[in-house]
């Protein structure tokens, strides 16, 4: 039967070195046995040393990408990544609302691990107003959670409050990815707050490696893939967290500096 196979969509930027952005999403969809489709919002030129240039796709092209996918596929879940600026966020939100692409996982990408901006400073308010309320799951890291809630996070209590604030802003389920504090424990813990009110921590080891590009993209993509296959939100988050943990632990040596995680790791 046509369109029975689980299909997922990434609305994100292309990263030429394959370690992050749309490429990490598509690697993840593939390995998680989900057919991957894409709406490309921007392209960045870079490698394991960093990002050196970027361009944004034109409005008519974005509209056409959405239309073409909607005309032919049965997408069961979608995720957002790099959206670059206010206009792009508005355009993506308009198109997402127009069609049926299933639940939305919002990875509120702001800046790379190595300091390259992927969202214009003045676009944050639009992201909060227009995109966060559409999120079935929002997946900020520590820094992004602080930016979105406009509050410093220093303790477990602060993390919980940030997650609650994100729910108040309209996201249904939240995972805040933990931060490793230099010199402290060799653990990182992610905090999850579900729509039902249930909350829990996911503890994992901290891996001291330079091969962590695309970790956030891959986590949100793995959640999206699981949702597309019909897995519950809680299990999707748990499975994705475990998958990314293994992909960091069993890294591959690609590029000379900051490398990718290993999407094949099991
Ligand atoms: O990992 C965040 C990210 C998202 N999207 C694009 C990127 C990166 C990091 O490099 O290049 C396009």
């Amino acid at each position: 039967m046509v369109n029975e196979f689980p299909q997922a969509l990434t609305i994100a930027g292309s990263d030429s070195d394959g370690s992050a952005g749309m490429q990490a999403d598509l690697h993840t969809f593939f390995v998680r046995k989900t057919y991957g489709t894409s709406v490309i919002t921007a392209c960045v030129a870079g490698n394991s040393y960093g990002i050196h240039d970027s361009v944004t796709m034109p409005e008519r092209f974005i509209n056409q990408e959405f239309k073409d996918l909607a005309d032919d596929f049965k997408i069961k879940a979608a995720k957002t990544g790099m959206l670059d600026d206010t206009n792009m966020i508005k355009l993506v939100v308009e198109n997402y609302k127009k069609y049926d692409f299933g639940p939305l996982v919002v990875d509120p990408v702001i800046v790379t691990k190595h300091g390259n901006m992927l969202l214009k400073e003045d676009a944050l308010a639009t992201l909060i107003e227009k995109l966060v309320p559409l999120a079935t799951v929002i997946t900020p890291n520590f820094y992004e959670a602080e930016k979105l809630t406009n509050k410093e996070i220093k303790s477990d209590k602060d993390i919980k409050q940030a997650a609650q604030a994100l729910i108040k802003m309209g996201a249904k389920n939240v995972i805040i990815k933990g931060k490793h504090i230099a010199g402290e424990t060799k653990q990182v813990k992610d905090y999850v707050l579900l729509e039902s009110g249930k909350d829990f921590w996911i503890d994992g080891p901290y891996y001291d490696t330079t091969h962590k590009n695309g970790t956030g993209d891959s986590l949100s993509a793995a959640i999206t893939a699981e949702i597309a296959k019909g897995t519950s939100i809680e299990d999707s988050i748990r499975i994705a967290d475990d998958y990314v943990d293994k992909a960091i632990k069993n890294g591959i040596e690609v590029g000379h500096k900051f490398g990718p995680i290993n999407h094949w790791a099991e």
Side-chain angles (χ1 to χ4, degrees), residues 123-136:
L124 192 65
T126 308
L127 192 129
I128 291 168
E129 188 199 333
K130 305 241 181 253
L131 192 63
V132 173
L134 298 182
T136 300

mmCIF file with all atom_site columns, all heavy atoms in Angstrom, residues 123-136:
data_model
loop_
_atom_site.group_PDB
_atom_site.id
_atom_site.type_symbol
_atom_site.label_atom_id
_atom_site.label_alt_id
_atom_site.label_comp_id
_atom_site.label_asym_id
_atom_site.label_entity_id
_atom_site.label_seq_id
_atom_site.pdbx_PDB_ins_code
_atom_site.Cartn_x
_atom_site.Cartn_y
_atom_site.Cartn_z
_atom_site.occupancy
_atom_site.B_iso_or_equiv
_atom_site.pdbx_formal_charge
_atom_site.auth_seq_id
_atom_site.auth_comp_id
_atom_site.auth_asym_id
_atom_site.auth_atom_id
_atom_site.pdbx_PDB_model_num
ATOM 1   N N   . ALA A 1 123 ? 15.176 37.185 16.352 1.00 0.00 ? 123 ALA A N   1
ATOM 2   C CA  . ALA A 1 123 ? 14.157 36.191 15.952 1.00 0.00 ? 123 ALA A CA  1
ATOM 3   C C   . ALA A 1 123 ? 13.643 35.376 17.136 1.00 0.00 ? 123 ALA A C   1
ATOM 4   O O   . ALA A 1 123 ? 12.660 34.646 17.010 1.00 0.00 ? 123 ALA A O   1
ATOM 5   C CB  . ALA A 1 123 ? 14.734 35.248 14.897 1.00 0.00 ? 123 ALA A CB  1
ATOM 6   N N   . LEU A 1 124 ? 14.301 35.529 18.276 1.00 0.00 ? 124 LEU A N   1
ATOM 7   C CA  . LEU A 1 124 ? 13.943 34.718 19.447 1.00 0.00 ? 124 LEU A CA  1
ATOM 8   C C   . LEU A 1 124 ? 12.476 34.939 19.867 1.00 0.00 ? 124 LEU A C   1
ATOM 9   O O   . LEU A 1 124 ? 11.755 33.981 20.165 1.00 0.00 ? 124 LEU A O   1
ATOM 10  C CB  . LEU A 1 124 ? 14.890 35.036 20.609 1.00 0.00 ? 124 LEU A CB  1
ATOM 11  C CG  . LEU A 1 124 ? 14.818 34.081 21.785 1.00 0.00 ? 124 LEU A CG  1
ATOM 12  C CD1 . LEU A 1 124 ? 15.284 32.682 21.411 1.00 0.00 ? 124 LEU A CD1 1
ATOM 13  C CD2 . LEU A 1 124 ? 15.652 34.615 22.951 1.00 0.00 ? 124 LEU A CD2 1
ATOM 14  N N   . ALA A 1 125 ? 12.046 36.196 19.847 1.00 0.00 ? 125 ALA A N   1
ATOM 15  C CA  . ALA A 1 125 ? 10.676 36.513 20.275 1.00 0.00 ? 125 ALA A CA  1
ATOM 16  C C   . ALA A 1 125 ? 9.660  35.821 19.355 1.00 0.00 ? 125 ALA A C   1
ATOM 17  O O   . ALA A 1 125 ? 8.639  35.303 19.826 1.00 0.00 ? 125 ALA A O   1
ATOM 18  C CB  . ALA A 1 125 ? 10.464 38.026 20.263 1.00 0.00 ? 125 ALA A CB  1
ATOM 19  N N   . THR A 1 126 ? 9.938  35.788 18.070 1.00 0.00 ? 126 THR A N   1
ATOM 20  C CA  . THR A 1 126 ? 9.023  35.140 17.116 1.00 0.00 ? 126 THR A CA  1
ATOM 21  C C   . THR A 1 126 ? 9.012  33.633 17.336 1.00 0.00 ? 126 THR A C   1
ATOM 22  O O   . THR A 1 126 ? 7.962  32.985 17.259 1.00 0.00 ? 126 THR A O   1
ATOM 23  C CB  . THR A 1 126 ? 9.451  35.468 15.663 1.00 0.00 ? 126 THR A CB  1
ATOM 24  O OG1 . THR A 1 126 ? 9.576  36.880 15.559 1.00 0.00 ? 126 THR A OG1 1
ATOM 25  C CG2 . THR A 1 126 ? 8.450  34.963 14.650 1.00 0.00 ? 126 THR A CG2 1
ATOM 26  N N   . LEU A 1 127 ? 10.189 33.082 17.613 1.00 0.00 ? 127 LEU A N   1
ATOM 27  C CA  . LEU A 1 127 ? 10.265 31.647 17.894 1.00 0.00 ? 127 LEU A CA  1
ATOM 28  C C   . LEU A 1 127 ? 9.381  31.301 19.099 1.00 0.00 ? 127 LEU A C   1
ATOM 29  O O   . LEU A 1 127 ? 8.620  30.342 19.084 1.00 0.00 ? 127 LEU A O   1
ATOM 30  C CB  . LEU A 1 127 ? 11.725 31.265 18.158 1.00 0.00 ? 127 LEU A CB  1
ATOM 31  C CG  . LEU A 1 127 ? 12.014 29.771 18.173 1.00 0.00 ? 127 LEU A CG  1
ATOM 32  C CD1 . LEU A 1 127 ? 13.192 29.462 17.259 1.00 0.00 ? 127 LEU A CD1 1
ATOM 33  C CD2 . LEU A 1 127 ? 12.341 29.270 19.544 1.00 0.00 ? 127 LEU A CD2 1
ATOM 34  N N   . ILE A 1 128 ? 9.465  32.139 20.122 1.00 0.00 ? 128 ILE A N   1
ATOM 35  C CA  . ILE A 1 128 ? 8.682  31.912 21.345 1.00 0.00 ? 128 ILE A CA  1
ATOM 36  C C   . ILE A 1 128 ? 7.183  32.077 21.065 1.00 0.00 ? 128 ILE A C   1
ATOM 37  O O   . ILE A 1 128 ? 6.364  31.269 21.474 1.00 0.00 ? 128 ILE A O   1
ATOM 38  C CB  . ILE A 1 128 ? 9.141  32.888 22.459 1.00 0.00 ? 128 ILE A CB  1
ATOM 39  C CG1 . ILE A 1 128 ? 10.551 32.508 22.917 1.00 0.00 ? 128 ILE A CG1 1
ATOM 40  C CG2 . ILE A 1 128 ? 8.158  32.906 23.625 1.00 0.00 ? 128 ILE A CG2 1
ATOM 41  C CD1 . ILE A 1 128 ? 11.243 33.535 23.792 1.00 0.00 ? 128 ILE A CD1 1
ATOM 42  N N   . GLU A 1 129 ? 6.864  33.119 20.335 1.00 0.00 ? 129 GLU A N   1
ATOM 43  C CA  . GLU A 1 129 ? 5.446  33.424 20.105 1.00 0.00 ? 129 GLU A CA  1
ATOM 44  C C   . GLU A 1 129 ? 4.786  32.450 19.131 1.00 0.00 ? 129 GLU A C   1
ATOM 45  O O   . GLU A 1 129 ? 3.670  31.995 19.342 1.00 0.00 ? 129 GLU A O   1
ATOM 46  C CB  . GLU A 1 129 ? 5.340  34.864 19.562 1.00 0.00 ? 129 GLU A CB  1
ATOM 47  C CG  . GLU A 1 129 ? 3.921  35.358 19.470 1.00 0.00 ? 129 GLU A CG  1
ATOM 48  C CD  . GLU A 1 129 ? 3.796  36.547 18.524 1.00 0.00 ? 129 GLU A CD  1
ATOM 49  O OE1 . GLU A 1 129 ? 4.798  37.287 18.347 1.00 0.00 ? 129 GLU A OE1 1
ATOM 50  O OE2 . GLU A 1 129 ? 2.711  36.721 17.962 1.00 0.00 ? 129 GLU A OE2 1
ATOM 51  N N   . LYS A 1 130 ? 5.494  32.118 18.043 1.00 0.00 ? 130 LYS A N   1
ATOM 52  C CA  . LYS A 1 130 ? 4.835  31.382 16.952 1.00 0.00 ? 130 LYS A CA  1
ATOM 53  C C   . LYS A 1 130 ? 5.157  29.888 16.908 1.00 0.00 ? 130 LYS A C   1
ATOM 54  O O   . LYS A 1 130 ? 4.315  29.093 16.507 1.00 0.00 ? 130 LYS A O   1
ATOM 55  C CB  . LYS A 1 130 ? 5.239  31.989 15.593 1.00 0.00 ? 130 LYS A CB  1
ATOM 56  C CG  . LYS A 1 130 ? 4.978  33.476 15.480 1.00 0.00 ? 130 LYS A CG  1
ATOM 57  C CD  . LYS A 1 130 ? 4.016  33.759 14.369 1.00 0.00 ? 130 LYS A CD  1
ATOM 58  C CE  . LYS A 1 130 ? 3.742  35.229 14.210 1.00 0.00 ? 130 LYS A CE  1
ATOM 59  N NZ  . LYS A 1 130 ? 2.428  35.623 14.664 1.00 0.00 ? 130 LYS A NZ  1
ATOM 60  N N   . LEU A 1 131 ? 6.384  29.517 17.283 1.00 0.00 ? 131 LEU A N   1
ATOM 61  C CA  . LEU A 1 131 ? 6.770  28.117 17.094 1.00 0.00 ? 131 LEU A CA  1
ATOM 62  C C   . LEU A 1 131 ? 6.611  27.277 18.364 1.00 0.00 ? 131 LEU A C   1
ATOM 63  O O   . LEU A 1 131 ? 6.115  26.153 18.297 1.00 0.00 ? 131 LEU A O   1
ATOM 64  C CB  . LEU A 1 131 ? 8.219  28.044 16.582 1.00 0.00 ? 131 LEU A CB  1
ATOM 65  C CG  . LEU A 1 131 ? 8.657  26.685 16.079 1.00 0.00 ? 131 LEU A CG  1
ATOM 66  C CD1 . LEU A 1 131 ? 7.836  26.240 14.871 1.00 0.00 ? 131 LEU A CD1 1
ATOM 67  C CD2 . LEU A 1 131 ? 10.137 26.679 15.726 1.00 0.00 ? 131 LEU A CD2 1
ATOM 68  N N   . VAL A 1 132 ? 7.014  27.817 19.488 1.00 0.00 ? 132 VAL A N   1
ATOM 69  C CA  . VAL A 1 132 ? 6.953  27.038 20.736 1.00 0.00 ? 132 VAL A CA  1
ATOM 70  C C   . VAL A 1 132 ? 5.531  26.486 20.993 1.00 0.00 ? 132 VAL A C   1
ATOM 71  O O   . VAL A 1 132 ? 5.379  25.320 21.352 1.00 0.00 ? 132 VAL A O   1
ATOM 72  C CB  . VAL A 1 132 ? 7.492  27.855 21.939 1.00 0.00 ? 132 VAL A CB  1
ATOM 73  C CG1 . VAL A 1 132 ? 7.276  27.099 23.256 1.00 0.00 ? 132 VAL A CG1 1
ATOM 74  C CG2 . VAL A 1 132 ? 8.976  28.161 21.744 1.00 0.00 ? 132 VAL A CG2 1
ATOM 75  N N   . PRO A 1 133 ? 4.471  27.280 20.756 1.00 0.00 ? 133 PRO A N   1
ATOM 76  C CA  . PRO A 1 133 ? 3.122  26.751 21.010 1.00 0.00 ? 133 PRO A CA  1
ATOM 77  C C   . PRO A 1 133 ? 2.730  25.568 20.107 1.00 0.00 ? 133 PRO A C   1
ATOM 78  O O   . PRO A 1 133 ? 1.758  24.878 20.393 1.00 0.00 ? 133 PRO A O   1
ATOM 79  C CB  . PRO A 1 133 ? 2.202  27.956 20.735 1.00 0.00 ? 133 PRO A CB  1
ATOM 80  C CG  . PRO A 1 133 ? 3.075  29.146 20.860 1.00 0.00 ? 133 PRO A CG  1
ATOM 81  C CD  . PRO A 1 133 ? 4.437  28.718 20.410 1.00 0.00 ? 133 PRO A CD  1
ATOM 82  N N   . LEU A 1 134 ? 3.480  25.362 19.025 1.00 0.00 ? 134 LEU A N   1
ATOM 83  C CA  . LEU A 1 134 ? 3.161  24.229 18.132 1.00 0.00 ? 134 LEU A CA  1
ATOM 84  C C   . LEU A 1 134 ? 3.902  22.959 18.522 1.00 0.00 ? 134 LEU A C   1
ATOM 85  O O   . LEU A 1 134 ? 3.688  21.893 17.930 1.00 0.00 ? 134 LEU A O   1
ATOM 86  C CB  . LEU A 1 134 ? 3.538  24.583 16.686 1.00 0.00 ? 134 LEU A CB  1
ATOM 87  C CG  . LEU A 1 134 ? 2.831  25.771 16.036 1.00 0.00 ? 134 LEU A CG  1
ATOM 88  C CD1 . LEU A 1 134 ? 3.312  25.931 14.602 1.00 0.00 ? 134 LEU A CD1 1
ATOM 89  C CD2 . LEU A 1 134 ? 1.315  25.554 16.061 1.00 0.00 ? 134 LEU A CD2 1
ATOM 90  N N   . ALA A 1 135 ? 4.795  23.067 19.508 1.00 0.00 ? 135 ALA A N   1
ATOM 91  C CA  . ALA A 1 135 ? 5.687  21.947 19.817 1.00 0.00 ? 135 ALA A CA  1
ATOM 92  C C   . ALA A 1 135 ? 4.982  20.837 20.591 1.00 0.00 ? 135 ALA A C   1
ATOM 93  O O   . ALA A 1 135 ? 4.521  21.049 21.704 1.00 0.00 ? 135 ALA A O   1
ATOM 94  C CB  . ALA A 1 135 ? 6.885  22.447 20.621 1.00 0.00 ? 135 ALA A CB  1
ATOM 95  N N   . THR A 1 136 ? 4.944  19.662 20.001 1.00 0.00 ? 136 THR A N   1
ATOM 96  C CA  . THR A 1 136 ? 4.523  18.476 20.766 1.00 0.00 ? 136 THR A CA  1
ATOM 97  C C   . THR A 1 136 ? 5.635  18.136 21.746 1.00 0.00 ? 136 THR A C   1
ATOM 98  O O   . THR A 1 136 ? 5.386  17.750 22.879 1.00 0.00 ? 136 THR A O   1
ATOM 99  C CB  . THR A 1 136 ? 4.271  17.295 19.810 1.00 0.00 ? 136 THR A CB  1
ATOM 100 O OG1 . THR A 1 136 ? 3.245  17.662 18.908 1.00 0.00 ? 136 THR A OG1 1
ATOM 101 C CG2 . THR A 1 136 ? 3.843  16.045 20.564 1.00 0.00 ? 136 THR A CG2 1
#
